Amino acid sequence: MRTAPSARRASPRPRADALRNRERIITAAREMFVEHGPQVPLDEIARRAGVGNATLYRNFPDRDALVREVLCSVMDRTAEAAKCALAETGDAFAALERFAHAAAEERISALCPMVSSTFDRNHPDLEAARERVEGLIAEVMDRAKAAGQLRTDVGVGDLMVAAAQLSRPPAGTACFDADRFVHRHLQLFLDGLRAPARSVLPGTAVTMEDLRQS
């Protein structure tokens, strides 16, 4: 699922074949970052995408630009999954569960090592994508809380850190061998989020801002 191109990608509008090439590069980069880690050669990404090096660099002049677009793409897809959950009219907790499993499929934990100390984490494109996805996830969780199905002492950060951690091991460590466990263990975690709560959690509900500060 893809959202409509945002303002960051809207002017001037490229030709259809140029858009397809750009999407191929982003998809190939995401796959290879997950499989091999953040330092995979850009020419290998171009080869998997089926484009020339010149096409890759015309779209993304450096590694940071490509990493940023991959992260924005993952957040866009996660936001779209949250929108689908909000569009459901049935069981609010079931919608939350489906969203959480979709978010885990994005393997964002394997992408985290790409954000190096020199990477601009506060780039406007990232900030906009981050605010959008976090707001949508909060809506999904708030709806389940309002229905009395989700315990009230958890926050967006609690859910997302679990989805990220459970989709590990990180890139470069035969991560796909563990895929069969991800959704099983995520469901065990989700069962622990159901209301009424059976225990008192230490600390307070975790926000995404808490995670960024840590």
Side-chain angles (χ1 to χ4, degrees):
M1 292 178 291
R2 291 286 299 165
T3 57
S6 66
R8 68 179 182 261
R9 288 166 279 196
S11 57
R13 183 169 180 80
R15 300 190 316 271
D17 58 338
L19 283 172
R20 284 193 295 270
N21 284 339
R22 184 180 180 86
E23 287 301 311
R24 287 193 193 104
I25 294 167
I26 294 168
T27 299
R30 177 183 175 277
E31 291 172 354
M32 297 195 77
F33 287 146
V34 169
E35 293 169 19
H36 304 293
Q39 298 307 317
V40 62
L42 296 185
D43 58 345
E44 291 295 326
I45 293 173
R47 185 173 296 111
R48 176 173 292 195
V51 302
N53 286 0
T55 299
L56 186 150
Y57 284 108
R58 184 162 56 248
N59 282 278
F60 306 104
D62 54 39
R63 183 179 295 272
D64 277 1
L66 178 55
V67 167
R68 181 168 59 250
E69 190 62 21
V70 169
L71 291 173
C72 284
S73 174
V74 167
M75 286 190 282
D76 284 351
R77 290 161 60 95
T78 304
E80 194 66 22
K83 286 179 65 178
C84 288
L86 288 170
E88 295 186 22
T89 58
D91 187 295
F93 195 90
L96 171 63
E97 289 178 317
R98 282 187 281 275
F99 162 73
H101 285 286
E105 284 290 324
E106 294 302 325
R107 304 194 67 86
I108 198 163
S109 65
L111 302 178
C112 290
M114 297 189 302
V115 184
S116 65
S117 59
T118 61
F119 187 79
D120 181 7
R121 304 176 190 215
N122 299 313
H123 189 282
D125 290 355
L126 286 174
E127 289 284 1
R130 185 185 299 132
E131 289 177 10
R132 177 169 178 265
V133 71
E134 290 175 13
L136 287 166
I137 297 169
E139 287 187 54
V140 174
M141 295 181 71
D142 287 346
R143 192 172 68 164
K145 288 178 181 178
Q149 296 174 301
L150 175 64
R151 56 190 298 165
T152 59
D153 56 350
V154 294
V156 173
D158 291 304
L159 177 62
M160 296 314 294
V161 76
Q165 293 293 338
L166 289 170
S167 65
R168 289 183 182 243
T173 57
C175 56
F176 293 109
D177 291 344
D179 274 2
R180 65 189 186 277
F181 303 123
V182 171
H183 295 288
R184 175 183 175 85
H185 294 162
L186 178 58
Q187 189 60 50
L188 286 170
F189 168 79
L190 289 167
D191 286 348
L193 294 185
R194 283 189 176 273
R198 296 188 178 185
S199 62
V200 177
L201 294 176
T204 58
V206 179
T207 67
M208 295 301 291
E209 186 60 31
D210 292 332
L211 298 180
R212 283 193 285 273
Q213 290 176 356
S214 64

